Amino acid sequence: MKLVSTRLVASDIESMVAFYELVTGYRADWLAPVFAEIVTPGAVVAIGSAETVALFKEGSAEPRANKTAILEFMVSDVDAEFARLKDHVVVVHEPKNLPWGNRTVQFSDPEGTRVALYTPVTEAARQRFSGR
């Protein structure tokens, strides 16, 4: 089994796509007016408009309702990324070191999902991510 993407359901797909293009530096592939994918080297962020929910099961997903997931992107320099993005996004917390060896910053996307950028800073963390 292979996890190939994370899909977000958006009430405003244009602002969500623009946010993830800004954060990742990658352009979205619009596969339909109601669905786009941002393909990065390690993951795909898929964004579907609220209208796409009915294609699966009405009411099975809801925009702006996420309180559990954090999308995480590994970057080479979290402090540089923070400096680049801080004036353009909602900052949840500024860069800080975490007990498991990552330096991280968190933002909120336009619909409330948390997005973390991190850099492994300890030798153990760098080893853990070397093969990923």
Side-chain angles (χ1 to χ4, degrees), residues 33-114:
V34 295
F35 187 79
E37 291 182 334
I38 298 176
V39 179
T40 73
V44 174
V45 177
I47 304 167
S49 70
E51 296 110 331
T52 63
V53 175
L55 298 171
F56 303 106
K57 183 179 177 193
E58 192 69 45
S60 63
E62 180 183 338
R64 300 184 174 272
N66 181 7
K67 298 289 185 191
T68 61
I70 301 170
L71 301 183
E72 296 181 313
F73 296 90
M74 187 167 52
V75 297
S76 60
D77 185 341
V78 75
D79 293 290
E81 292 297 320
F82 175 70
R84 178 178 72 87
L85 294 167
K86 68 180 179 177
D87 296 330
H88 306 287
V89 298
V90 175
V91 176
V92 175
H93 70 76
E94 295 189 3
K96 64 169 101 174
N97 292 343
L98 298 177
W100 47 90
N102 293 340
R103 183 160 176 78
T104 187
V105 63
Q106 254 186 46
F107 306 114
S108 180
D109 77 16
E111 302 210 357
T113 299
R114 299 300 187 241

Side-chain angles (χ1 to χ4, degrees), residues 19-28 38-40 81 84-85:
F19 171 87
Y20 284 97
E21 286 179 332
L22 173 68
V23 168
T24 65
Y26 290 91
R27 301 290 304 165
I38 298 176
V39 179
T40 73
E81 292 297 320
R84 178 178 72 87
L85 294 167

